[in-house]
Amino acid sequence: MGFYSRMPASSADMERTFIAVKPDGVQRGLCGEIIKRFETRGFKLVAAKFVQASEDHMKKHYLDLKDMPFYAGLCKYMSSGPVFAMVWEGQSIVKLARMMLGETNPADSKPGSIRGDLCINIGRNIIHGSDTLDNAKMEVDLWFKAEEFVNWTPCSQAFLYE
Ligand code: DAT
Ligand code: MG
């Protein structure tokens, strides 16, 4: 029903994942740095928007964390300012993006990862990335409508995949 049905048949091993620069990342001017890392890795941007989400929207987004003590504060913070929401596409991107992000706690994240290079505190870890393919599908559909996707072929494609 969602975006996967619109992907070309030849892209059976391709995945899409939901990435968002959180309000702290936006405020700190890190959107460009984060986009750059996904671009230079070779991933393809298929949808993007700069939005301030409602608290209700963030409660849906983080529904699996509803019993955690930080849930309310997290949803409030995530709706306190703009986020840069994106959908990126590529081979095994769900797992690879999580590796690029680092660990949930920046203190456990290796240098070289986004969180390991750019932030310090678990509650201000600047970026969201879907953790599983199933969650990626749910999150992409929660944040983006069908008409918000751009169908295009980057000229680099033939040199990224054999
Ligand atoms: P991730 O964002 O790495 O997928 P998660 O889904 O477990 O991590 O949690 C969502 C966000 O909630 C996380 O990016 C930061 C915040 N968070 C997680 N654990 C926390 C904790 N113990 N204290 C405060 N905030 C926390
Ligand atoms: Mg998560």
Side-chain angles (χ1 to χ4, degrees), residues 27-155:
Q27 292 291 346
R28 292 182 52 213
L30 295 172
C31 289
E33 169 70 26
I34 286 167
I35 291 166
K36 180 169 170 264
R37 288 181 182 229
F38 285 87
E39 267 187 333
T40 52
R41 182 85 192 252
F43 293 129
K44 174 184 164 185
L45 185 65
V46 292
K49 60 184 169 187
F50 187 58
V51 286
Q52 182 159 3
S54 68
E55 212 170 318
D56 266 5
H57 184 84
M58 291 317 308
K59 282 181 181 162
K60 281 183 207 152
H61 173 87
Y62 280 127
L63 197 61
D64 58 334
L65 298 175
K66 66 178 187 315
D67 297 326
M68 304 304 274
F70 55 84
Y71 177 67
L74 172 66
C75 295
K76 206 176 176 66
Y77 182 66
M78 286 295 293
S79 57
S80 69
V83 300
F84 198 74
M86 297 167 271
V87 181
W88 288 87
E89 183 182 295
Q91 203 169 54
S92 308
I93 192 172
V94 176
K95 178 181 155 213
L96 295 182
R98 288 292 295 198
M99 292 175 76
M100 289 166 70
L101 262 60
E103 302 300 321
T104 299
N105 190 344
D108 298 327
S109 301
K110 291 200 174 67
S113 68
I114 292 169
R115 286 167 173 166
D117 284 348
L118 302 172
C119 55
I120 298 166
N121 185 264
I122 191 167
R124 297 292 182 268
N125 62 6
I126 71 166
I127 182 168
H128 170 82
S130 309
D131 60 350
T132 63
L133 188 56
D134 280 348
N135 283 339
K137 290 176 185 180
M138 284 195 311
E139 291 171 5
V140 167
D141 284 342
L142 176 66
W143 285 81
F144 287 92
K145 299 197 229 16
E147 58 269 27
E148 291 177 298
F149 290 87
V150 179
N151 196 352
W152 68 297
T153 305
C155 60

